[in-house]
């Protein structure tokens, strides 16, 4: 079993290697989109193991935004209402093949709940390499910060790619058919360790991200991205556990103005 947990983010697609049959991504209770300034400064250190009894929950302290919170999710209601409550054009979840999303109390970054997105390739034909479970939210038309806490139970080498943080565009808001992947954060092999890369679907280029260490397994880590979609040449900056790791990277312009932030797995 491989488990990823996240607190605020969207993810995209993972294609599994033969012999690695299941994957979990959990999104716990700190999902936020913030307008104006950096969402966090010096986030608390990763929490190793969930601790905290049956629910596996240890609260490492608040992650306080310093700008205007446009949207947030805690999952503490035990359902997907924070994602789906404003209608499909604004947010929701979807899955295919073996993909499934559930609210769970197995482990949480803060509070007691998280969202587990899972895929199990044993449930379908071995030749079917596309599986997915995703949550999505309409992105801001202005400069905004998108942040998430993640938990990986184990490292994994994907046969093609493994992404955890994605932006897409829709021709018609909320209509998934015809959606287009734009830019994403991928977990990649870095000399035998788990590393990060930023992929632009428009150019087909993967930019390696130098962390100075492997992406942690069995501990929470935080990812935050600043997206500026306001010009003809959109740009992004990225922080990992509060450290700047990409600055003002130029992005391929989207085909439409209907941008979505996606968390999950495919």
């Amino acid at each position: 079993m491989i488990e990823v947990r996240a607190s605020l983010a969207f993810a995209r697609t993972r294609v599994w290697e033969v012999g690695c049959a299941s994957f979990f991504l959990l999104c716990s209770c700190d999902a936020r989109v913030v307008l104006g300034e950096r969402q966090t400064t010096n986030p608390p250190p990763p929490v190793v193991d969930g601790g905290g009894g049956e629910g596996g929950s240890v609260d490492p302290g608040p992650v306080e935004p310093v700008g205007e919170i446009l949207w947030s999710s805690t999952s503490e209601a035990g359902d997907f209402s924070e994602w789906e409550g404003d209608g499909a054009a604004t947010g929701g979840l979807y899955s295919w093949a073996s993909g499934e999303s559930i609210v769970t109390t197995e482990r949480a970054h803060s509070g007691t709940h998280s969202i587990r997105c899972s895929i199990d390739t044993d449930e379908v034909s071995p030749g079917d390499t596309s599986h997915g479970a995703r949550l999505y939210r309409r992105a801001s038309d202005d400069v905004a910060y998108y942040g998430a806490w993640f938990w990986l139970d184990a490292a994994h080498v994907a046969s093609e790619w493994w992404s955890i943080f994605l932006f897409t565009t829709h021709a018609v808001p909320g209509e998934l058919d015809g959606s287009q992947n734009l830019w994403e954060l991928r977990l990649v092999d870095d000399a035998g360790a788990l590393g990060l890369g930023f992929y632009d679907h428009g150019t087909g280029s993967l930019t390696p991200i130098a962390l100075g260490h492997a992406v942690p397994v069995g501990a929470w880590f935080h990812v935050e991205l600043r997206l500026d979609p306001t010009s003809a040449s959109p740009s992004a900056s990225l922080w990992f556990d509060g450290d700047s790791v990409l600055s003002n990277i130029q992005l391929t312009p989207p085909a439409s103005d209907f941008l979505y932030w996606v968390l999950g797995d495919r």
Side-chain angles (χ1 to χ4, degrees), residues 164-176:
I164 61 173
F165 201 109
L166 170 73
F167 286 89
T168 66
T169 183
H170 293 187
V172 178
E175 290 192 8
L176 301 177

Side-chain angles (χ1 to χ4, degrees), residues 88-89 136 138 169-179 256-258 260:
Y136 68 96
R138 181 74 181 267
T169 183
H170 293 187
V172 178
E175 290 192 8
L176 301 177
D177 290 342
S179 65
S256 83
D257 294 330
F258 305 127
Y260 287 84

Side-chain angles (χ1 to χ4, degrees), residues 6 19-20 23 30 54 59 65 74 76 152 190 192 201 213-215 230 235 238:
C20 188
F23 160 78
D30 305 316
E54 290 187 13
D59 189 346
T74 67
E76 291 302 292
L152 296 170
D190 182 9
H201 283 266
H213 57 80
V215 175
T230 60
S235 63
L238 186 73

Side-chain angles (χ1 to χ4, degrees), residues 64-226:
E64 294 299 334
V66 293
E68 174 192 354
I69 299 177
L70 300 182
W71 174 83
S72 65
S73 171
T74 67
S75 303
E76 291 302 292
D79 57 29
F80 296 102
S81 56
E82 291 163 323
W83 298 88
E84 299 179 303
D86 297 321
T90 301
L93 65 156
Y94 60 101
S95 61
W96 64 97
S98 66
E100 180 184 40
S101 297
I102 63 171
V103 177
T104 178
T105 57
E106 292 175 49
R107 177 180 281 121
H109 174 260
S110 61
T112 59
H113 291 71
S114 61
I115 297 173
R116 185 178 72 179
C117 303
S118 64
I119 58 177
D120 186 345
T121 57
D122 283 344
E123 296 182 2
V124 293
S125 169
D128 188 352
T129 58
S130 180
H131 309 260
R134 293 179 173 176
L135 301 105
Y136 68 96
R137 191 74 188 178
R138 181 74 181 267
S140 173
D141 295 330
D142 206 341
V143 179
Y145 294 80
Y146 304 81
W149 287 95
F150 292 87
W151 175 287
L152 296 170
D153 252 21
H156 167 66
V157 178
S159 58
E160 294 185 24
W161 70 84
W162 176 10
S163 66
I164 61 173
F165 201 109
L166 170 73
F167 286 89
T168 66
T169 183
H170 293 187
V172 178
E175 290 192 8
L176 301 177
D177 290 342
S179 65
Q180 180 181 0
N181 297 330
L182 296 172
W183 323 292
E184 68 187 45
L185 185 66
R186 292 182 174 182
L187 292 168
V188 299
D189 178 69
D190 182 9
L194 194 61
L196 287 178
F198 189 86
Y199 187 76
D200 187 322
H201 283 266
T203 62
S205 61
L206 180 70
T207 301
I209 298 173
L211 297 179
H213 57 80
V215 175
V217 173
W220 289 101
F221 61 90
H222 188 260
V223 173
E224 183 181 33
L225 183 140
R226 177 189 186 272

